Amino acid sequence: MAEGAVVVIGGTSGMGREVAAFYAGQGRDVVISGRDAQRAQAVATEIGGRTVGIGLELAEPEEIGTRLRGVDRVQHLVIAAIDRDENTARDYDVKRAIRLATLKLVGYTEVVHVLHDRMGESSSVVMFGGLAKDRPYPGSTTVTTVNGGISTMVHTLAVELAPIRVNAIHPAIVGDSPYWRDKPEAVLEAFRSRTPLGRLVCMRDVVDAVAFLLENPSVTGVNLPVDGGWLLM
Ligand SMILES: NC(=O)c1ccc[n+]([C@@H]2O[C@H](COP(=O)([O-])OP(=O)(O)OC[C@H]3O[C@@H](n4cnc5c(N)ncnc54)[C@H](OP(=O)(O)O)[C@@H]3O)[C@@H](O)[C@H]2O)c1
């Protein structure tokens, strides 16, 4: 039996929100976070069920413990938050780079640090990386670096926190996510034509894969690409 809530950090939008809605639909206690507590609570009300919203800024990791004080027992933890930068080595915005590196590498880890002793033996963590780690594009310097960091972070956390399981998911471009869905059709088609399946990943596929990683008792330390075969071409 599940003991504790499903906590989704970065659950007010995109794939985090879809994961939260999936578990809320199963009657589970769900906690979602965004940067602003009021907005997070408004989204939690939209999701419905037993969902509550909290405010938490991952780029200020010293505050994370305080922000998570109200969270009780945790069955599953999903960390999906992102505040993207577009950074190149030639035109480098140090502040943006520090912010994203802190958010994903220190902020994600601090959330796990704060919540791990509220988790049980059957609990698990899924962190979001992304295939920019393998398929860089101009401007992805920080995004590529931090998503690469996620792929090694899950290895150490899976060892340190066992029997709590820790895995990462690395989607390719998710065509119906808020970040991509309004991009020009020509841009999306260029990606679509480079996948064996001839279709972009959709948020439902990602939710399905997250649930697999969260629930399967034999899977830990795994970096799962969800990419329609993109890496093969
Ligand atoms: N979309 C894709 O195609 C794609 C592809 C590969 C990988 N990914 C990865 O998948 C994950 C989810 O992406 P998405 O596109 O679904 O996300 P999204 O729609 O952009 O949502 C981002 C979430 O992060 C929260 N957030 C933003 N900045 C934050 C900060 N500084 N501190 C705490 N929370 C913050 C946002 O909350 P508020 O706005 O309410 O503050 C929101 O809930 C990300 O880690 C991303 O790198 C996405």
Side-chain angles (χ1 to χ4, degrees):
M1 277 299 285
E3 192 202 329
V6 177
V7 176
V8 186
I9 303 299
T12 59
S13 171
M15 290 176 275
R17 179 180 173 142
E18 294 299 310
V19 171
F22 172 78
Y23 279 103
Q26 293 189 353
R28 303 284 292 269
D29 292 316
V30 175
V31 179
I32 62 167
S33 82
R35 283 162 291 189
D36 179 74
Q38 268 188 326
R39 172 174 141 75
Q41 187 48 51
V43 174
T45 303
E46 282 170 23
I47 290 172
R50 298 203 304 268
T51 308
V52 296
I54 60 171
L56 181 154
E57 170 56 77
L58 283 173
E60 292 169 9
E62 296 87 353
E63 298 297 318
I64 288 173
T66 307
R67 301 281 171 256
L68 290 172
R69 213 175 261 158
V71 176
D72 196 7
R73 299 293 300 164
V74 178
Q75 177 62 23
H76 294 309
L77 171 62
V78 176
I79 315 183
I82 180 89
D83 183 9
R84 296 170 175 85
D85 75 356
E86 291 198 6
N87 239 339
T88 67
R90 286 200 172 88
D91 184 16
Y92 196 49
D93 182 333
V94 170
K95 270 198 183 137
R96 293 288 301 161
I98 289 175
R99 186 173 166 79
L100 179 52
T102 305
L103 183 160
K104 268 223 172 176
L105 299 182
V106 183
Y108 275 33
T109 313
E110 175 63 4
V111 169
V112 173
H113 162 72
V114 169
L115 293 181
H116 80 278
D117 59 4
R118 300 173 211 178
M119 304 177 86
E121 293 199 350
S122 64
S123 293
S124 64
V125 180
V126 168
M127 297 184 172
F128 272 74
L131 283 189
K133 77 182 173 66
D134 302 303
R135 285 284 166 92
Y137 51 87
S140 77
T141 290
T142 323
V143 174
T144 293
T145 303
V146 296
N147 285 338
I150 293 291
S151 67
T152 49
M153 189 193 298
V154 293
H155 291 156
T156 180
L157 295 184
V159 170
E160 286 183 4
L161 296 177
I164 296 169
R165 295 177 299 99
V166 185
N167 295 291
I169 188 157
H170 298 277
I173 282 150
V174 182
D176 61 349
S177 66
Y179 184 72
W180 285 102
R181 65 186 168 215
D182 297 326
K183 296 269 193 268
E185 177 51 27
V187 172
L188 297 177
E189 181 51 32
F191 289 115
R192 206 180 280 126
S193 65
R194 283 164 46 207
T195 64
L197 297 183
R199 65 185 276 277
L200 294 177
V201 173
C202 62
M203 294 203 285
R204 197 184 52 216
D205 306 336
V206 174
V207 172
D208 186 58
V210 169
F212 158 71
L213 292 173
L214 287 175
E215 312 282 351
N216 189 298
S218 293
V219 176
T220 195
V222 161
N223 284 290
L224 182 66
V226 179
D227 69 343
W230 195 35
L231 288 179
L232 300 174
M233 290 179 70

